[in-house]
């Protein structure tokens, strides 16, 4: 479907939209559609970013920089502005639209009821941009016009999206680890016990989560890092291996 056309008689306006879904059971495949948040005005620009992880280990006696090893790609990121205007509506307000966007950062009711709370997955759609499935990392709303009684009539919302993996892969290219069910980008204050409790309802599984992700020191987690979340049965297997390792260590001692 064309986004633009030089012939005015064939031009078809395509409205951008963000579809809000329940979290999916499989990577890259969103769950049931909850709602669609349409753009009143199509964005003037999109910012798309993609980066890769490289690691280099410093050597004290080295005369030059050490070689870097490729660790894999980071999730693709997209930033877009949404403009809302209700100046032509009688008793209109943009608050409902803004609150719908803000709600995409909170867990869905269904996921909360299963003791595995997760914010919804979203799909950004606009012309050729139809394959971006991810989650809303942040929303910043700026109200720019008010009615005499203080009702917000216009708003500009900056929405930051981050993609979710479309296929399963090993958690670490060198470890032969488990298949991830999901991924979580660490925020300030995140801990492995809190993540384990949120995902599996058992904070004690944080050690297995650390083993799966190759985390040697859980106190050195950094905001922005990604923790891979295996399926519960796979993590149970990892937990069993950890318990067995401890039993062997106790027997040897």
């Amino acid at each position: 479907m064309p986004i633009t056309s030089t012939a005015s008689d064939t031009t078809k306006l395509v409205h951008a939209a963000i579809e809000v879904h329940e979290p999916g059971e499989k990577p890259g495949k969103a769950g049931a559609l909850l709602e669609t948040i349409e753009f009143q005005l199509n964005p003037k620009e999109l910012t798309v970013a993609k980066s890769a992880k490289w690691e280099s280990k410093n050597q004290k006696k080295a005369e030059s920089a050490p070689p870097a090893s490729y660790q894999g790609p980071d999730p693709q990121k997209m930033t877009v502005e949404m403009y809302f205007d209700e100046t032509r509506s009688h008793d209109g307000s943009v608050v409902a639209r803004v609150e719908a966007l803000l709600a995409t950062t909170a867990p869905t009711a269904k996921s909360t009821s299963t003791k595995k709370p997760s914010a919804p997955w979203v799909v950004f759609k606009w012309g050729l941009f139809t394959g971006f499935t991810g989650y809303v990392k942040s929303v910043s709303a700026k109200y720019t016009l008010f009615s005499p009684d203080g009702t917000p009539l216009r708003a500009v919302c900056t929405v930051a999206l981050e993609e979710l993996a479309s296929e399963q892969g090993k958690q670490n290219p060198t470890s032969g680890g488990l298949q991830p069910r999901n991924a979580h980008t660490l925020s300030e204050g995140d801990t492995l016990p809190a993540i384990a409790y949120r995902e599996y309802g058992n904070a004690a599984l944080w050690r297995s989560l650390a083993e799966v992700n190759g985390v040697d020191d859980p106190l050195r987690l950094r905001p922005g890092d990604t923790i891979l979340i295996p399926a519960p049965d796979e993590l149970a297997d990892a937990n069993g291996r950890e318990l067995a390792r401890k039993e062997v260590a106790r027997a040897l001692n």
Side-chain angles (χ1 to χ4, degrees), residues 188-232:
E188 193 70 37
D190 269 344
T191 65
L192 288 182
I195 295 172
Y197 181 78
R198 182 174 63 244
E199 295 291 337
Y200 310 109
N202 185 355
L205 291 176
W206 73 267
R207 295 183 185 276
S208 297
L209 201 57
E211 179 190 3
V212 168
N213 285 274
V215 176
D216 296 325
D217 185 355
L219 298 179
R220 299 184 64 182
L221 296 177
R222 297 176 300 177
D225 287 349
T226 299
I227 293 293
L228 299 179
I229 311 296

Side-chain angles (χ1 to χ4, degrees), residues 169-193:
K170 298 285 181 73
Q171 64 94 24
N172 186 305
T174 61
S175 68
L178 303 179
Q179 300 293 321
R181 175 179 62 85
N182 203 342
H184 173 73
T185 301
L186 296 173
S187 302
E188 193 70 37
D190 269 344
T191 65
L192 288 182

